[in-house]
Amino acid sequence: MGYLAVSARPWAHRSVTSHAVDLDRLVTDAREGVPRAVARLISLVEDGGVGGDETPLRELAAALAPYTGRARVVGLTGSPGVGKSTTTSALVSALRADDRRVGVLAVDPSSPFSGGALLGDRVRMGEHATDPGVFIRSMATRGHLGGLAAATPQALRVLDAAGCDVILVETVGVGQSEVEVVALADTTVVLLAPGMGDGVQAAKAGILEVADVFVVNKADRDGADATVRELQHMVSLSRREVSGPSWRPPVVRTVAAAGQGIDDLVAALDDHRAWMADHDRLAEGPRRRARAEIEAIALADLRARIRELSGDAALGGLAERVVAGELDPYAAADEVVASVRG
Amino acid sequence: MGYLAVSARPWAHRSVTSHAVDLDRLVTDAREGVPRAVARLISLVEDGGVGGDETPLRELAAALAPYTGRARVVGLTGSPGVGKSTTTSALVSALRADDRRVGVLAVDPSSPFSGGALLGDRVRMGEHATDPGVFIRSMATRGHLGGLAAATPQALRVLDAAGCDVILVETVGVGQSEVEVVALADTTVVLLAPGMGDGVQAAKAGILEVADVFVVNKADRDGADATVRELQHMVSLSRREVSGPSWRPPVVRTVAAAGQGIDDLVAALDDHRAWMADHDRLAEGPRRRARAEIEAIALADLRARIRELSGDAALGGLAERVVAGELDPYAAADEVVASVRG
């Protein structure tokens, strides 16, 4: 398996669709771990996830379906500045030391306005650049409806088929879209750092409730003990909506930049995995991803129909009438739904 | 106009629907600025925005439609810790000194898991608690699809009809949902603070591109000059997708906790307003809100149909088949869409 850190998208969506015969070849190569093939397939997912001709995505999904289901997905999220990338990088090192093949998917919700990130991809995790057992990929998505929810499982499937044992999904930000993405993981890690007022803010965004493992990174800083205590208190208060016995999220202290505590984090991830296996719940993650993906694709389809059938001008006309007070938005939406249902 | 800072929701959705005759009274009272009526109506929006019987929301939308369109909406967003609440509070003071009636809507995307914020509402902006010209309201929404995009314009309409001159919409977090909410404003303010690595992170989340005004808060701290320069550089690089002449977002320095720079911020807001008026673009905000709301309601309707018609068990069954590799997610989504379109 070769090194992969492609962030540009040299292939336009159209060029792939016009050479449909390439898809089989790409899938075959990707299954053998050829990095360039994996990169092309993820680019395809990224570009085609919303709008445009989705035929190649359908073909890709069908082609990959039999070869997936082996990789374990670990999501990492937290506020800007807590050290997500550093922790992810340290985690990659630890997993590689254990000879596990690792995929990293850094999910950037792209701007709803420009259709792309304002800044280019960062050069990420340079120390793994020469390791043939690591795939690293930044991914943005176009549009916002169901974009991430649909595109992330698709990209995971590509990495899964390519032989990754563990796939780390790192999200930027702490918003709802990001929470939804990491909630698709088998194990979700929420990172905090001392003294950022993160506790309350994170709780607000709902990320505490999706955590299977908490990490207090930069644990050598003032306030680390307080943050750990605050988290442990929150864990003790929260009731998770699970049937049967519930997993109690541990709080792990790390100084990722110095590699400290990373073995504890790996152990916590493995503990969670073992607990899920013991409780016959390993299928939950894959099921959750499949459900989210199906629903996201269906909604994206319906949204496209809204814009096609109702027509952009028609929607604009309805909006004008709502602004003028001639029509209420529910009545306008009824017209839209009626046109979609044909 | 009285003081309003209700954060509990003493009225269940159902209790309002079962007394439909109350709605007219509530609307009449709200138009006269009776705080309790405004509070009830926003609770109705909050509770009924997703799922459940939407009849009262339809009635409310129809009842308010003729009385809205006067308020000016200012959105404020930024990473946790930049001082959004402090800045909002200082802005309220400045606007009140100018005798403008002010509404504050603090939007918390609720957890996708518990259906509610983990922590209760903070007691917010206590210094305005005795000012009869200020409405303050925290709002969460249930569910995540189109919830905020639909509920926020509805709540704004209530505050608009209640006589607010300016409505400040403050969001928690920097994710995509939050960006979408503040992008519904007439003027969008993006806050940053020195030394948090916010620049790049914010750009990643797309918030720089929606900004009409930048605020570097805590401008007395080290690194403020660098943050201002970085922003000014980004502004000079970015191209906004506008037809005709484009507004160049100013960068305002504030120390909100000390009230410094707030007059400059008010001036920047007014400058933006004046520029939009001069360029005949004042209608853009209301149109954008109406469009987003119509689309969000239509999609929420279609999503409800997905869950009803296709049946929760049916969707689960399709997910199982996708996990088993028997069906690809596109084919599964086709079945869902077909069932919705009946």
Side-chain angles (χ1 to χ4, degrees):
Chain A
M1 186 177 294
Y3 163 69
L4 172 69
V6 178
S7 46
R9 287 176 299 277
W11 309 275
H13 187 189
R14 204 159 292 109
S15 72
V16 177
T17 62
S18 63
H19 303 292
V21 68
D22 284 350
L23 198 62
D24 287 338
R25 176 62 182 274
L26 284 174
V27 169
T28 305
D29 286 352
R31 288 184 56 214
E32 286 169 10
V34 176
R36 209 174 160 78
V38 175
R40 284 196 186 209
L41 291 178
I42 296 184
S43 293
L44 180 66
V45 166
E46 188 177 41
D47 287 338
V50 172
D53 178 15
E54 64 186 19
T55 311
L57 287 185
R58 290 177 171 262
E59 290 171 7
L60 177 59
L64 290 177
Y67 308 114
T68 56
R70 211 179 55 85
R72 169 181 162 192
V73 180
V74 175
L76 295 104
T77 193
S79 301
V82 297
K84 283 190 296 294
S85 294
T86 312
T87 306
T88 301
S89 182
L91 207 44
V92 170
S93 300
L95 293 165
R96 289 300 298 143
D98 199 25
D99 208 29
R100 301 196 236 187
R101 286 183 175 177
V102 184
V104 177
L105 200 61
V107 178
D108 280 351
S110 65
S111 161
F113 281 74
S114 72
L118 184 64
L119 302 180
D121 287 311
R122 288 168 291 180
V123 176
R124 306 180 80 259
M125 290 176 269
E127 65 175 301
H128 302 294
T130 53
D131 183 342
V134 182
F135 284 96
I136 300 172
R137 176 67 189 225
S138 291
M139 190 175 75
T141 58
R142 313 283 171 266
H144 40 282
L145 178 82
L148 287 172
T152 304
Q154 289 167 9
L156 291 174
R157 215 156 32 228
V158 173
L159 291 168
D160 188 353
C164 291
D165 297 299
V166 180
I167 306 172
L168 307 176
V169 180
E170 179 199 326
T171 60
V172 175
V174 291
Q176 214 167 355
S177 311
E178 293 75 15
V179 169
E180 285 166 29
V181 168
V182 294
L184 298 178
D186 295 302
T187 301
T188 299
V189 179
V190 173
L191 291 92
L192 297 96
M196 290 181 61
D198 279 89
V200 172
Q201 298 286 356
K204 287 265 164 192
I207 65 177
L208 293 190
E209 292 166 69
V210 304
D212 298 307
V213 174
F214 287 105
V215 168
V216 176
N217 191 33
K218 306 184 182 180
D220 53 346
R221 292 204 182 167
D222 283 350
D225 291 343
T227 302
V228 169
R229 274 197 308 273
E230 185 185 6
L231 278 172
Q232 285 168 337
H233 182 63
M234 283 186 182
V235 168
S236 71
L237 288 180
S238 75
R239 282 175 299 173
R240 294 166 61 99
E241 287 190 6
V242 289
S243 50
S246 66
W247 164 257
R248 194 184 175 86
V251 180
V252 179
R253 303 168 70 113
T254 59
V255 184
Q260 291 170 21
I262 300 302
D263 289 344
D264 295 338
L265 174 53
V266 172
L269 297 178
D270 288 341
D271 283 351
H272 180 249
R273 179 82 173 172
W275 189 92
M276 292 297 275
D278 287 348
H279 292 79
D280 204 21
R281 291 173 55 183
L282 285 182
E284 282 183 15
R287 263 188 225 132
R288 207 157 48 220
R289 287 191 285 279
R291 245 185 120 99
E293 188 180 5
I294 295 168
E295 198 174 88
I297 294 169
L299 282 169
D301 182 334
L302 290 167
R303 184 178 197 158
R305 285 169 199 268
I306 285 180
R307 296 188 166 170
E308 261 172 46
L309 294 184
S310 153
D312 210 53
L315 188 55
L318 291 171
E320 288 293 345
R321 290 173 61 200
V322 168
V323 170
E326 297 164 13
L327 191 69
D328 75 76
Y330 284 90
D334 284 343
E335 292 194 25
V336 171
V337 170
S339 74
V340 167
R341 301 193 72 209
Chain B
M1 185 177 296
Y3 162 69
L4 170 69
V6 177
S7 46
R9 287 176 298 276
W11 311 274
H13 187 187
R14 205 159 291 110
S15 74
V16 176
T17 62
S18 63
H19 303 292
V21 67
D22 284 349
L23 200 62
D24 287 338
R25 177 63 181 275
L26 283 174
V27 169
T28 304
D29 286 353
R31 288 185 54 212
E32 286 169 9
V34 176
R36 211 173 158 77
V38 176
R40 285 196 185 207
L41 291 178
I42 296 184
S43 293
L44 180 67
V45 166
E46 188 177 40
D47 287 338
V50 172
D53 177 16
E54 65 185 18
T55 311
L57 287 186
R58 287 176 173 265
E59 290 171 8
L60 177 60
L64 291 176
Y67 308 114
T68 56
R70 209 179 56 84
R72 167 181 162 193
V73 180
V74 176
L76 295 103
T77 193
S79 302
V82 296
K84 284 189 294 294
S85 294
T86 311
T87 305
T88 301
S89 183
L91 208 43
V92 170
S93 299
L95 292 166
R96 289 299 298 142
D98 199 25
D99 209 28
R100 301 197 236 186
R101 286 183 174 177
V102 184
V104 177
L105 199 61
V107 178
D108 280 352
S110 65
S111 161
F113 283 74
S114 73
L118 184 64
L119 302 179
D121 286 310
R122 287 167 292 180
V123 176
R124 306 180 80 259
M125 289 175 269
E127 64 173 301
H128 302 294
T130 54
D131 183 342
V134 182
F135 284 96
I136 300 173
R137 175 69 188 225
S138 291
M139 189 176 75
T141 57
R142 314 282 170 265
H144 40 281
L145 179 82
L148 288 172
T152 304
Q154 289 168 9
L156 290 174
R157 213 152 37 224
V158 173
L159 290 168
D160 188 353
C164 292
D165 298 298
V166 180
I167 305 172
L168 306 176
V169 179
E170 178 199 326
T171 59
V172 174
V174 290
Q176 216 167 354
S177 312
E178 293 77 13
V179 170
E180 286 166 29
V181 168
V182 294
L184 298 177
D186 295 304
T187 300
T188 299
V189 179
V190 173
L191 291 92
L192 296 96
M196 291 181 61
D198 278 90
V200 172
Q201 299 286 357
K204 288 262 163 192
I207 63 176
L208 293 190
E209 292 168 68
V210 303
D212 298 308
V213 174
F214 287 105
V215 169
V216 176
N217 192 32
K218 306 184 182 180
D220 53 346
R221 292 202 182 168
D222 283 351
D225 290 342
T227 303
V228 170
R229 272 197 309 272
E230 185 185 6
L231 277 171
Q232 285 169 336
H233 182 62
M234 283 186 183
V235 168
S236 70
L237 289 179
S238 74
R239 283 176 299 173
R240 294 168 62 99
E241 290 191 5
V242 289
S243 51
S246 66
W247 165 256
R248 191 184 179 87
V251 180
V252 180
R253 304 169 70 114
T254 60
V255 184
Q260 292 169 21
I262 300 302
D263 289 344
D264 295 338
L265 174 53
V266 172
L269 298 178
D270 288 341
D271 284 350
H272 181 249
R273 180 82 175 171
W275 189 92
M276 292 297 275
D278 287 348
H279 292 79
D280 204 21
R281 290 173 54 183
L282 285 182
E284 283 182 15
R287 264 188 224 132
R288 208 157 47 220
R289 288 191 285 279
R291 246 187 117 100
E293 188 180 5
I294 296 168
E295 196 174 89
I297 294 169
L299 281 169
D301 182 335
L302 290 167
R303 183 177 199 159
R305 286 170 198 268
I306 285 180
R307 295 187 166 170
E308 262 172 46
L309 294 184
S310 152
D312 209 51
L315 188 55
L318 290 170
E320 287 294 346
R321 291 172 60 200
V322 168
V323 170
E326 298 164 13
L327 191 70
D328 74 76
Y330 284 91
D334 285 344
E335 292 193 25
V336 171
V337 170
S339 74
V340 168
R341 301 193 71 209

